[in-house]
Amino acid sequence: MPDAYVRIEGVTKTFGGAPAVDNVSLDVQRGEIFCLLGGSGSGKTTLLRMLAGFETPTSGRLYIDGQDMTGIAPCERPVNMMFQSYALFPHMSVEKNVAFGLEQEKLARAEISERVVQILDIVKMGAFIGRKPHQLSGGQRQRVALARALVKRPKLLLLDEPLGALDRKLREHTQFELLAIQKRLGVTFIVVTHDQGEAMTLASRIGVMNHGQIVQIGTPLDIYEYPQTKFVADFVGSVNLFDGRLVEDEADHVRIRSEELGAVVYVDHGITSAPDVSVSVAIRPEKIGIDRTRPAGSENVAHGRVKEIAYMGDTSIYIVELDAGKLVRVTLPNVVRRAEDRLTAEESVYLSWHASSPVVLTR
Amino acid sequence: MNRGYFSRTGLVIGLAFLYLPILSMVVFSFNNSRLVTVWDVAHSPTLKWYVALLSNQPILRAAWLSIRVAASAATGAVVLGTLVGIVLARFGPFRGRTLLSAMTTAPLVMPEVITGLSLLLLFVALEQLIGWPRGRGMLTIILAHITFTMSYVAVVVQSRLAGFDESLEEAAMDLGARPVTVFFRITLPLIVPAIVSGWLLAFTISWDDVVVSQFVAGPASTTLPMVIFSKVRLGVSPDVNALATLMVLIVALGIVISSLWMHAMSKRRERESQLAIAANQ
Amino acid sequence: MQALGKHAGRRFVVAVPYLWLIMLFLIPFIIVFKISFSETRMAMPPYAPLIEWRDGAIVGIKLYFSNYSFLFTDRLYASAYLYSIKVAAVSTLWCLLIGYPMAYAIARSTAAWKNLLLMLIILPFWTSFLLRVYAWIGLLKSNGVINNVLLWLGVIHEPLTLMQTDFAVYVGIVYSYLPFMILPLYANLEKHDTTLLEAAADLGARPWRAFLRVTLPLSMPGILAGCLLVFIPAVGEYVIPSLLGRTDQLMIGRVLSDEFFANRDWPVASAVAILILGLLVVPIMLFQRVQKGELEARP
C-alpha cells in the first residue's frame, strides 16, 4: 500500500528483556479511525506511545506520512495525543491550555486566540474559556483535551482510552460527537481502547492485540462475525466455544462432530484445513435459538436443560446445560412484554442455529 | 469508643508537653528577676530584657550573619535540591540512581557531629590541595548548610512531583514544547509550592544549626545559635528568653498567616469545583 | 520522562547535584576514614599524611591502627558508645509511646481539626531547636518551674535533682524529636481505610483487638520510619546531652567533639566518627528503603 499514512514495520519494544510489543507491522490509511483493541498489558498503549515519541522502538521502524520517525523528538512530530488522564495543565485556564501548543509554533497572538475560540466552539466549550481544569466536569475536561490536541491541526491524532473516564451515558453521546468531529476535520485517528463497544462504534478498522502482537485486523463486522482465533472470538463479545473434529471438508460446506455439543455442526462455508483435525466451533449467544420441541433436521441441533435465566431488560440471558454437561450461553431479545409461556429453569429445551452462524477456528 | 477517648487524651497531654516549655519561656521573658524562673512580683512584667537584647551588639551581629547564611544556604539548597527531586521523580532508571538517592536520604538522619567533622576535614584538605576555600568562615558554613539542607528540598519536591501525573510533561512535549520550555512552563509552576516550603525548611534548619556550624565556622564568624549555645551552656539567661519569645512570635505569625491563606485558597477551589459540577447537571 | 531525559540537558541536570553530593558528602567520609588511620602530630592540620611522596613516587604508607585500639582499650569510649545506644533506644521507645496515640487521634479527626492539629505538631519544629532545649533548663533546674510548683503544692519538701540526669536527656530528646515520630506515623495511619476496622468489628473483634490485629500491623512502615528518624540522629546527639545531661557519663557525640575541639586529636575524633557510622549503617540503609517505598509509591 504505497500511500499508507502511518506505517509500522516490524516494531518490537522490550522492557527489561520482556517484549511489550512484539514484531508488529501495520498500515493505517489517511482519514481512517483505527482502533487498537486489547486487554491491559497487550502492548497497545506502548505502541501508541512509540508513535507519539515517548518510547523508542527496540527494533523496527515507524513512518508517518512517509517520513521515518526514528530519532525525532515528540515535540517535532506531526502528531498529537489525547491522554487517558487528559493531562490538562492544572495551573492554566482552558484558554491557556488550548493555546499552549500554538504558542510553541510561535504564531501571532491574534491568530492563536482566533484558532482557540474556533476549536472550543467545535467541541462546544466556548462558554468555559476562562475556567481552570478543576472547575470542569469529566466530560468537559475530555472536550478540552480533545480541543487542545486538535487545535494544532495534526494530521494524526492519537487517543489513549478517550472515553475511559466518562460514565456510560456520557460515553455513548461522546462517541458520536467524536465521530462527527473526526469527519469534519478529516484527521486520522488511532485510538487505543480496552472496551470493545467503543472500538466497534468508533473504528473503521480494528486491530486486536494480545501479548504484544496484533492477532487480527479488520472492520468491526469482520472482527465480530469472522474472528480468526479463539482469542479474538472470546475477547470481542461473548461466544460459546466447542471442541470438535472435522469429519467432512468440502469446498462449500464442512461437518464437525463435537462430543461436548452432542451434535454434528453443519457449516455452509468451506474452510482450508486438513480433514480429521481438531477444531473449535464458535457460536455467538444471540445466534442460537431455543425451542421446547425438536426443530426439523438432524444437524445444528443440541438438547439441554435451562439452568439459569438472567433478565437484562432488553434481552434475557439463558444458561443451558447440554446433555454432555457443557454450559451454553444464549441471548434472546425480550420482544413481548408479558410472555405467558416464558421459559423457566429446569425446562428441557432444544438449541438450534443457522448453518451460516458457526465459525470454525483452527487456532 | 474508648480507644478514641484514650488517643484523644494522649493528644491533649502530648500537645501540652510540646507547648508548656515554650509558654514558660515566653512568660519568664517578661520577668524582672535575673534568676529567670523566680517570678519577681513587684517589678514584672517588664520589657527590659527586650531592650537589653536589642542593644546587645554581638547578638545582633550574629543574627545578621545567621540571616545571610540561612538565606544563601536555602537558595543554594533549593536549586540543587529541586534538581535532585526532579531527577529522582522523573528521570526513570539510570546508572547511579541508587547512589544519588542514597546520598539524598542519608543526610536526613546523619548525626550532625559526623556531618560537621567530615565537612571540616574536607575543607582543610581542600585548602591544603588547592588553596580554596581559604580559611573558614561564612563561605564554608554556607557550603556545609547547602549540603545537608538540599536533601530536605529534594524530598519535598520529589513527593510533590509524585503527586502529579507524568503525562502532564508528556502532553506539553506532544504539543511541541522543548524540554526547557516544558520545565519552565509546566514542571516549575507545578512545584512552586514545594520549592517555597523547601526554601523555608532549608532556611529554618540552617538558621537553627549549631553543631555543623561549630565545626566549619572560623573564629570570626559566629552564628546566632553558636552565641546562644555558649550563653546557655553557662545556665539560663533572661535575654535568651526574650530572644526565644521574639523568634516564636515571628514563626507563629508566619505559619498562622500562611495556613489561613492556604485554607482560604483550598476553600475557594472546593467551592469553584462544586459550582462547576452543579452547573453541569 | 524518557524523551526529556534523552535531551542533552539531562546530563547537566543530573551532573550538577551529583557532583556536589560526591564532593561534599561522599568524599568527606573517605577523608574521615583516611584520617582515622593517621598519626596525631602537633601541626596544622594536626595529623600526619598516610602516604609519603618523594620525587613523584610513593615511598611509604603508614597506617596507624592505634587510634582504634585506643578506643577499644579505654573504657571511657566503650561506655559512651553503649550509653548513647541506650539513650537513643529508650528515647525512641518513649517517642513511639507518646507519638502513636497522638498520630492516631489526628488521623481520626475531621478534616478541619486535622489541619489545625498537624500545624500544632509542626509549629514547634519551625522554632529554634536550641531554644526549645534551653526552655527545659528553666523547667528542670533545682529552682526551676517544676520544682517550684511541686514545692508550692507541698508534694515535695526538697527540690528534686532533675537536671544533669538521664531523665533530663530523655525528656530533651523526646521533646525535640517527637514531631519526627508523629509525622510519618500520621502519614501512614491517615491512609488506612476505616472500613477495615468496621469490617473487623463486623466480624466480632472488640476495638482493642481490631487495633492490635488490623491497625498496628498495617502501620508498621510508619512505626519503622518514625523510629529510625528518631533513633539514628539521637545516637550522635550533641546539643541535648551537653545542655541537660550528666557530666560523669558522656554520649558519643560529645566525646567526638571533645576529642576534636578540646584535645585537638583529629585522628581519634575521626575513628570515633567511623565507629558511630559503623553502628548506624544498617539503620540508615533501612531508613533509605522505607523512604524509597514512601516516595516512589505513586498514587
Short mmCIF file of all heavy atoms in Angstrom, two decimals, chain B residues 3 17-19 37 89-91 94 96-97 102 105 120 147 158 166 179 204 208 225 232 236-237 241 259, chain C residues 1 4 10 17-18 20 24 104 119-120 124 126 128-130 134 138 141 143 175 207 260 288 295-296 298-299:
data_model
loop_
_atom_site.label_atom_id
_atom_site.label_comp_id
_atom_site.label_asym_id
_atom_site.label_seq_id
_atom_site.Cartn_x
_atom_site.Cartn_y
_atom_site.Cartn_z
N ARG B 3 -11.25 3.64 72.69
CA ARG B 3 -9.94 3.84 72.10
C ARG B 3 -9.80 5.29 71.62
O ARG B 3 -8.77 5.91 71.77
CB ARG B 3 -9.70 2.87 70.96
CG ARG B 3 -8.25 2.82 70.56
CD ARG B 3 -8.01 1.86 69.41
NE ARG B 3 -8.78 2.22 68.26
CZ ARG B 3 -9.88 1.62 67.89
NH1 ARG B 3 -10.36 0.62 68.59
NH2 ARG B 3 -10.54 2.00 66.82
N PHE B 17 2.69 18.91 76.48
CA PHE B 17 4.12 18.61 76.60
C PHE B 17 4.92 19.44 75.59
O PHE B 17 5.99 19.95 75.89
CB PHE B 17 4.31 17.11 76.39
CG PHE B 17 5.73 16.65 76.34
CD1 PHE B 17 6.58 16.79 77.42
CD2 PHE B 17 6.22 16.03 75.20
CE1 PHE B 17 7.89 16.33 77.36
CE2 PHE B 17 7.52 15.57 75.14
CZ PHE B 17 8.35 15.72 76.21
N LEU B 18 4.37 19.58 74.37
CA LEU B 18 5.08 20.32 73.34
C LEU B 18 5.08 21.83 73.62
O LEU B 18 6.03 22.52 73.29
CB LEU B 18 4.45 20.07 71.96
CG LEU B 18 4.81 18.76 71.26
CD1 LEU B 18 4.07 18.66 69.93
CD2 LEU B 18 6.31 18.66 71.02
N TYR B 19 3.97 22.33 74.21
CA TYR B 19 3.84 23.78 74.27
C TYR B 19 4.17 24.41 75.62
O TYR B 19 4.54 25.58 75.66
CB TYR B 19 2.44 24.20 73.79
CG TYR B 19 2.39 24.17 72.30
CD1 TYR B 19 2.00 23.04 71.61
CD2 TYR B 19 2.80 25.28 71.56
CE1 TYR B 19 2.01 22.99 70.23
CE2 TYR B 19 2.82 25.25 70.18
CZ TYR B 19 2.41 24.10 69.52
OH TYR B 19 2.44 24.08 68.17
N THR B 37 13.58 32.02 86.60
CA THR B 37 12.41 31.21 86.93
C THR B 37 11.75 31.62 88.23
O THR B 37 10.76 31.05 88.62
CB THR B 37 12.80 29.72 87.01
OG1 THR B 37 13.93 29.60 87.85
CG2 THR B 37 13.08 29.17 85.64
N ALA B 89 12.30 11.90 40.65
CA ALA B 89 10.88 11.66 40.40
C ALA B 89 10.59 11.42 38.92
O ALA B 89 9.62 10.76 38.59
CB ALA B 89 10.05 12.85 40.89
N ARG B 90 11.41 11.96 38.02
CA ARG B 90 11.01 11.98 36.62
C ARG B 90 11.97 11.33 35.64
O ARG B 90 11.59 11.09 34.50
CB ARG B 90 10.82 13.44 36.17
CG ARG B 90 9.56 14.11 36.71
CD ARG B 90 8.33 13.48 36.12
NE ARG B 90 7.14 14.29 36.33
CZ ARG B 90 6.19 14.00 37.19
NH1 ARG B 90 6.29 12.93 37.94
NH2 ARG B 90 5.13 14.77 37.29
N PHE B 91 13.20 11.09 36.03
CA PHE B 91 14.16 10.65 35.02
C PHE B 91 14.18 9.14 34.83
O PHE B 91 14.92 8.63 34.01
CB PHE B 91 15.57 11.15 35.36
CG PHE B 91 15.84 12.51 34.79
CD1 PHE B 91 14.81 13.41 34.59
CD2 PHE B 91 17.12 12.90 34.45
CE1 PHE B 91 15.04 14.67 34.07
CE2 PHE B 91 17.37 14.16 33.92
CZ PHE B 91 16.33 15.05 33.73
N PHE B 94 18.35 5.13 35.84
CA PHE B 94 19.61 5.38 35.13
C PHE B 94 20.73 4.91 36.02
O PHE B 94 20.54 4.68 37.22
CB PHE B 94 19.77 6.86 34.77
CG PHE B 94 19.83 7.80 35.96
CD1 PHE B 94 21.05 8.13 36.54
CD2 PHE B 94 18.66 8.32 36.50
CE1 PHE B 94 21.10 8.99 37.63
CE2 PHE B 94 18.72 9.18 37.59
CZ PHE B 94 19.94 9.50 38.16
N GLY B 96 23.59 4.87 38.49
CA GLY B 96 23.96 5.82 39.53
C GLY B 96 22.79 6.40 40.27
O GLY B 96 22.94 7.21 41.16
N ARG B 97 21.57 5.97 39.91
CA ARG B 97 20.39 6.50 40.56
C ARG B 97 20.36 6.10 42.04
O ARG B 97 20.04 6.91 42.91
CB ARG B 97 19.14 5.95 39.86
CG ARG B 97 17.87 6.59 40.35
CD ARG B 97 16.68 5.89 39.73
NE ARG B 97 15.49 6.70 39.84
CZ ARG B 97 14.80 6.82 40.98
NH1 ARG B 97 15.18 6.18 42.04
NH2 ARG B 97 13.75 7.59 41.02
N ALA B 102 20.62 7.47 47.67
CA ALA B 102 21.23 7.21 48.98
C ALA B 102 21.87 8.48 49.54
O ALA B 102 21.71 8.81 50.71
CB ALA B 102 22.27 6.10 48.86
N THR B 105 19.00 10.72 50.90
CA THR B 105 18.27 10.40 52.13
C THR B 105 19.18 10.32 53.34
O THR B 105 18.75 10.65 54.44
CB THR B 105 17.48 9.09 52.00
OG1 THR B 105 18.26 8.16 51.30
CG2 THR B 105 16.17 9.31 51.31
N LEU B 120 34.42 19.62 57.77
CA LEU B 120 35.59 20.40 58.15
C LEU B 120 36.86 19.76 57.58
O LEU B 120 37.71 20.44 57.01
CB LEU B 120 35.71 20.51 59.67
CG LEU B 120 37.04 21.16 60.06
CD1 LEU B 120 37.07 22.60 59.62
CD2 LEU B 120 37.33 21.04 61.52
N THR B 147 24.71 21.59 51.72
CA THR B 147 24.83 20.15 51.56
C THR B 147 23.82 19.39 52.39
O THR B 147 23.23 18.43 51.91
CB THR B 147 26.27 19.71 51.92
OG1 THR B 147 27.18 20.50 51.17
CG2 THR B 147 26.48 18.25 51.64
N GLN B 158 10.35 16.00 45.40
CA GLN B 158 10.07 14.68 44.85
C GLN B 158 8.66 14.22 45.19
O GLN B 158 7.94 13.68 44.34
CB GLN B 158 11.10 13.67 45.38
CG GLN B 158 11.07 12.34 44.66
CD GLN B 158 11.99 11.32 45.31
OE1 GLN B 158 12.77 11.64 46.20
NE2 GLN B 158 11.89 10.08 44.86
N GLU B 166 2.87 12.09 35.25
CA GLU B 166 3.95 12.44 34.35
C GLU B 166 3.43 12.81 32.97
O GLU B 166 4.12 13.46 32.18
CB GLU B 166 4.91 11.24 34.24
CG GLU B 166 6.33 11.64 34.01
CD GLU B 166 7.26 10.44 34.12
OE1 GLU B 166 7.18 9.75 35.14
OE2 GLU B 166 8.05 10.23 33.20
N PRO B 179 12.20 20.55 25.87
CA PRO B 179 12.39 20.24 27.30
C PRO B 179 12.54 21.48 28.19
O PRO B 179 11.98 21.51 29.29
CB PRO B 179 13.65 19.40 27.29
CG PRO B 179 13.63 18.72 25.97
CD PRO B 179 13.02 19.69 25.00
N THR B 204 15.10 27.50 57.85
CA THR B 204 14.94 27.22 59.28
C THR B 204 16.03 26.31 59.81
O THR B 204 16.59 26.54 60.88
CB THR B 204 13.57 26.56 59.52
OG1 THR B 204 12.59 27.31 58.84
CG2 THR B 204 13.25 26.51 60.99
N ASP B 208 18.97 27.38 62.44
CA ASP B 208 18.91 26.68 63.72
C ASP B 208 20.20 25.92 64.04
O ASP B 208 20.41 25.51 65.16
CB ASP B 208 17.76 25.68 63.63
CG ASP B 208 17.10 25.46 64.97
OD1 ASP B 208 17.32 26.28 65.86
OD2 ASP B 208 16.39 24.46 65.11
N PRO B 225 22.96 30.80 66.65
CA PRO B 225 22.87 29.61 67.52
C PRO B 225 24.17 29.35 68.28
O PRO B 225 24.14 28.90 69.42
CB PRO B 225 22.59 28.47 66.54
CG PRO B 225 21.94 29.13 65.37
CD PRO B 225 22.58 30.47 65.27
N VAL B 232 23.92 29.64 76.90
CA VAL B 232 23.06 28.78 77.71
C VAL B 232 23.83 27.62 78.32
O VAL B 232 23.36 27.01 79.27
CB VAL B 232 21.84 28.26 76.93
CG1 VAL B 232 20.99 29.40 76.44
CG2 VAL B 232 22.26 27.36 75.80
N VAL B 236 20.72 29.50 82.51
CA VAL B 236 19.67 30.28 81.89
C VAL B 236 20.03 31.76 81.93
O VAL B 236 20.75 32.22 82.81
CB VAL B 236 18.31 30.05 82.58
CG1 VAL B 236 17.79 28.69 82.23
CG2 VAL B 236 18.42 30.25 84.06
N SER B 237 19.47 32.47 80.96
CA SER B 237 19.80 33.88 80.86
C SER B 237 18.56 34.59 80.34
O SER B 237 17.99 34.17 79.34
CB SER B 237 21.01 34.01 79.95
OG SER B 237 20.94 35.17 79.20
N ASN B 241 15.62 34.28 76.87
CA ASN B 241 14.16 34.10 76.88
C ASN B 241 13.48 35.12 75.98
O ASN B 241 12.56 34.79 75.23
CB ASN B 241 13.62 34.28 78.30
CG ASN B 241 13.80 33.03 79.12
OD1 ASN B 241 14.73 32.27 78.88
ND2 ASN B 241 12.91 32.80 80.07
N SER B 259 -1.06 29.56 56.76
CA SER B 259 -2.03 28.46 56.73
C SER B 259 -3.45 28.99 56.57
O SER B 259 -4.28 28.34 55.94
CB SER B 259 -1.90 27.56 57.95
OG SER B 259 -2.10 28.29 59.10
N MET C 1 10.44 10.63 32.58
CA MET C 1 10.24 11.43 31.38
C MET C 1 11.30 11.02 30.38
O MET C 1 12.34 11.64 30.26
CB MET C 1 10.41 12.87 31.76
CG MET C 1 9.65 13.77 30.87
SD MET C 1 9.71 15.44 31.44
CE MET C 1 10.42 15.40 33.02
N LEU C 4 12.38 13.59 27.55
CA LEU C 4 13.08 14.74 28.09
C LEU C 4 14.46 14.29 28.55
O LEU C 4 15.45 14.96 28.35
CB LEU C 4 12.31 15.35 29.27
CG LEU C 4 13.04 16.50 29.97
CD1 LEU C 4 13.20 17.67 29.05
CD2 LEU C 4 12.30 16.92 31.21
N ARG C 10 19.86 16.64 30.04
CA ARG C 10 19.68 15.66 31.10
C ARG C 10 20.97 15.43 31.87
O ARG C 10 21.00 15.43 33.09
CB ARG C 10 19.19 14.35 30.49
CG ARG C 10 19.25 13.20 31.46
CD ARG C 10 18.87 11.92 30.78
NE ARG C 10 19.16 10.79 31.64
CZ ARG C 10 18.31 9.84 31.90
NH1 ARG C 10 17.12 9.86 31.38
NH2 ARG C 10 18.63 8.84 32.69
N PRO C 17 23.93 18.33 40.77
CA PRO C 17 23.77 17.91 42.17
C PRO C 17 24.60 16.67 42.50
O PRO C 17 25.05 16.51 43.63
CB PRO C 17 22.28 17.62 42.30
CG PRO C 17 21.80 17.39 40.92
CD PRO C 17 22.68 18.19 40.02
N TYR C 18 24.80 15.82 41.49
CA TYR C 18 25.55 14.59 41.71
C TYR C 18 26.98 14.91 42.14
O TYR C 18 27.48 14.40 43.14
CB TYR C 18 25.56 13.77 40.41
CG TYR C 18 25.50 12.29 40.63
CD1 TYR C 18 24.34 11.58 40.38
CD2 TYR C 18 26.62 11.60 41.09
CE1 TYR C 18 24.28 10.23 40.58
CE2 TYR C 18 26.56 10.24 41.29
CZ TYR C 18 25.39 9.56 41.03
OH TYR C 18 25.33 8.22 41.25
N TRP C 20 28.08 17.70 43.31
CA TRP C 20 28.05 18.40 44.60
C TRP C 20 28.04 17.39 45.74
O TRP C 20 28.82 17.48 46.69
CB TRP C 20 26.84 19.32 44.67
CG TRP C 20 26.78 20.09 45.94
CD1 TRP C 20 26.45 19.61 47.18
CD2 TRP C 20 27.08 21.47 46.13
NE1 TRP C 20 26.52 20.61 48.11
CE2 TRP C 20 26.91 21.77 47.50
CE3 TRP C 20 27.48 22.50 45.26
CZ2 TRP C 20 27.10 23.04 48.02
CZ3 TRP C 20 27.66 23.77 45.80
CH2 TRP C 20 27.49 24.03 47.15
N LEU C 24 30.85 16.93 48.46
CA LEU C 24 30.65 17.42 49.83
C LEU C 24 29.98 16.42 50.76
O LEU C 24 29.79 16.72 51.93
CB LEU C 24 29.84 18.74 49.80
CG LEU C 24 30.70 19.94 49.45
CD1 LEU C 24 30.38 20.42 48.07
CD2 LEU C 24 30.58 21.03 50.47
N TYR C 104 -2.53 8.84 65.94
CA TYR C 104 -3.79 8.13 65.72
C TYR C 104 -4.97 9.08 65.87
O TYR C 104 -5.88 9.11 65.05
CB TYR C 104 -3.89 6.98 66.73
CG TYR C 104 -5.05 6.05 66.45
CD1 TYR C 104 -4.89 4.95 65.63
CD2 TYR C 104 -6.30 6.29 67.01
CE1 TYR C 104 -5.94 4.12 65.35
CE2 TYR C 104 -7.37 5.46 66.75
CZ TYR C 104 -7.18 4.37 65.92
OH TYR C 104 -8.24 3.55 65.65
N MET C 119 -0.71 21.38 62.19
CA MET C 119 0.02 22.63 62.29
C MET C 119 0.62 22.77 63.69
O MET C 119 1.76 23.18 63.85
CB MET C 119 -0.93 23.79 61.99
CG MET C 119 -0.23 25.04 61.60
SD MET C 119 -1.42 26.32 61.28
CE MET C 119 -1.74 26.89 62.92
N LEU C 120 -0.17 22.38 64.70
CA LEU C 120 0.33 22.47 66.07
C LEU C 120 1.52 21.54 66.31
O LEU C 120 2.40 21.83 67.10
CB LEU C 120 -0.80 22.13 67.07
CG LEU C 120 -1.84 23.22 67.26
CD1 LEU C 120 -2.97 22.72 68.15
CD2 LEU C 120 -1.21 24.46 67.85
N PRO C 124 6.27 23.80 66.53
CA PRO C 124 7.49 23.87 67.33
C PRO C 124 8.73 23.56 66.52
O PRO C 124 9.81 24.08 66.78
CB PRO C 124 7.28 22.79 68.41
CG PRO C 124 5.84 22.55 68.44
CD PRO C 124 5.32 22.81 67.06
N TRP C 126 9.43 24.53 63.64
CA TRP C 126 9.91 25.72 62.94
C TRP C 126 10.58 26.71 63.90
O TRP C 126 11.25 27.64 63.46
CB TRP C 126 8.77 26.44 62.23
CG TRP C 126 8.23 25.69 61.06
CD1 TRP C 126 7.18 24.82 61.07
CD2 TRP C 126 8.69 25.73 59.70
NE1 TRP C 126 6.97 24.33 59.81
CE2 TRP C 126 7.88 24.87 58.95
CE3 TRP C 126 9.72 26.42 59.05
CZ2 TRP C 126 8.06 24.67 57.59
CZ3 TRP C 126 9.90 26.22 57.70
CH2 TRP C 126 9.07 25.35 56.98
N SER C 128 13.26 27.55 67.02
CA SER C 128 14.62 27.07 67.24
C SER C 128 14.68 25.84 68.16
O SER C 128 14.17 25.83 69.26
CB SER C 128 15.46 28.18 67.83
OG SER C 128 16.69 27.67 68.26
N PHE C 129 15.34 24.81 67.64
CA PHE C 129 15.58 23.59 68.38
C PHE C 129 16.38 23.88 69.65
O PHE C 129 16.05 23.44 70.75
CB PHE C 129 16.31 22.63 67.44
CG PHE C 129 17.14 21.59 68.09
CD1 PHE C 129 16.54 20.50 68.71
CD2 PHE C 129 18.52 21.67 68.07
CE1 PHE C 129 17.32 19.52 69.30
CE2 PHE C 129 19.29 20.69 68.66
CZ PHE C 129 18.69 19.62 69.28
N LEU C 130 17.40 24.69 69.47
CA LEU C 130 18.29 25.03 70.58
C LEU C 130 17.50 25.71 71.71
O LEU C 130 17.66 25.39 72.89
CB LEU C 130 19.37 25.98 70.04
CG LEU C 130 20.55 26.30 70.93
CD1 LEU C 130 21.24 25.02 71.34
CD2 LEU C 130 21.49 27.21 70.18
N TYR C 134 16.71 24.62 75.50
CA TYR C 134 17.04 25.59 76.55
C TYR C 134 15.85 25.80 77.50
O TYR C 134 16.02 25.91 78.71
CB TYR C 134 17.44 26.92 75.89
CG TYR C 134 17.34 28.11 76.78
CD1 TYR C 134 18.30 28.36 77.75
CD2 TYR C 134 16.27 29.00 76.66
CE1 TYR C 134 18.20 29.46 78.58
CE2 TYR C 134 16.16 30.11 77.48
CZ TYR C 134 17.13 30.33 78.44
OH TYR C 134 17.03 31.41 79.26
N GLY C 138 15.12 25.86 82.20
CA GLY C 138 14.30 26.67 83.10
C GLY C 138 13.27 25.84 83.85
O GLY C 138 12.89 26.16 84.97
N LYS C 141 15.70 22.83 86.32
CA LYS C 141 16.77 23.07 87.29
C LYS C 141 16.21 23.16 88.72
O LYS C 141 14.99 23.24 88.91
CB LYS C 141 17.56 24.32 86.92
CG LYS C 141 16.72 25.57 86.87
CD LYS C 141 17.60 26.72 86.43
CE LYS C 141 16.87 28.01 86.72
NZ LYS C 141 17.78 29.13 86.85
N ASN C 143 15.97 25.29 91.08
CA ASN C 143 14.99 26.33 91.41
C ASN C 143 14.12 26.65 90.19
O ASN C 143 13.67 27.76 90.00
CB ASN C 143 15.68 27.59 91.95
CG ASN C 143 16.60 28.21 90.90
OD1 ASN C 143 16.91 27.58 89.90
ND2 ASN C 143 17.02 29.44 91.13
N TYR C 175 11.26 15.37 73.54
CA TYR C 175 10.63 16.65 73.24
C TYR C 175 11.04 17.16 71.86
O TYR C 175 10.20 17.60 71.07
CB TYR C 175 11.04 17.66 74.31
CG TYR C 175 10.44 19.01 74.13
CD1 TYR C 175 9.07 19.20 74.27
CD2 TYR C 175 11.22 20.10 73.82
CE1 TYR C 175 8.51 20.45 74.10
CE2 TYR C 175 10.68 21.36 73.65
CZ TYR C 175 9.32 21.52 73.79
OH TYR C 175 8.77 22.75 73.61
N PRO C 207 -12.81 -3.42 69.88
CA PRO C 207 -11.95 -2.35 69.38
C PRO C 207 -10.47 -2.58 69.63
O PRO C 207 -9.64 -2.41 68.73
CB PRO C 207 -12.45 -1.13 70.14
CG PRO C 207 -13.87 -1.41 70.39
CD PRO C 207 -13.98 -2.90 70.59
N PHE C 260 37.89 16.43 69.30
CA PHE C 260 38.22 17.32 68.20
C PHE C 260 38.61 18.71 68.69
O PHE C 260 39.65 19.25 68.35
CB PHE C 260 37.04 17.40 67.24
CG PHE C 260 37.36 18.18 66.01
CD1 PHE C 260 37.95 17.55 64.92
CD2 PHE C 260 37.08 19.53 65.93
CE1 PHE C 260 38.27 18.27 63.80
CE2 PHE C 260 37.41 20.25 64.80
CZ PHE C 260 38.01 19.63 63.73
N GLN C 288 16.59 4.24 54.29
CA GLN C 288 16.52 4.57 52.87
C GLN C 288 15.50 3.70 52.15
O GLN C 288 14.79 4.18 51.27
CB GLN C 288 17.89 4.40 52.24
CG GLN C 288 18.82 5.50 52.72
CD GLN C 288 20.13 5.50 52.04
OE1 GLN C 288 20.65 4.46 51.69
NE2 GLN C 288 20.69 6.67 51.85
N LEU C 295 8.30 7.35 48.91
CA LEU C 295 8.32 8.40 47.88
C LEU C 295 8.00 7.87 46.50
O LEU C 295 7.59 8.62 45.63
CB LEU C 295 9.71 9.05 47.84
CG LEU C 295 9.94 10.11 48.89
CD1 LEU C 295 11.37 10.60 48.82
CD2 LEU C 295 8.98 11.28 48.70
N GLU C 296 8.21 6.58 46.27
CA GLU C 296 8.06 6.12 44.91
C GLU C 296 6.76 5.38 44.68
O GLU C 296 6.45 4.98 43.57
CB GLU C 296 9.27 5.27 44.50
CG GLU C 296 10.43 6.23 44.24
CD GLU C 296 11.76 5.53 44.05
OE1 GLU C 296 11.75 4.31 43.82
OE2 GLU C 296 12.77 6.21 44.15
N ARG C 298 3.49 5.71 43.69
CA ARG C 298 2.67 6.74 43.05
C ARG C 298 1.21 6.55 43.41
O ARG C 298 0.75 5.43 43.54
CB ARG C 298 2.83 6.65 41.52
CG ARG C 298 4.22 6.92 41.04
CD ARG C 298 4.47 8.42 40.97
NE ARG C 298 5.88 8.71 40.78
CZ ARG C 298 6.47 8.67 39.60
NH1 ARG C 298 5.80 8.36 38.54
NH2 ARG C 298 7.74 8.94 39.49
N PRO C 299 0.47 7.64 43.58
CA PRO C 299 -0.95 7.50 43.90
C PRO C 299 -1.73 6.96 42.71
O PRO C 299 -1.33 7.13 41.59
CB PRO C 299 -1.40 8.92 44.21
CG PRO C 299 -0.40 9.79 43.55
CD PRO C 299 0.89 9.05 43.48
#
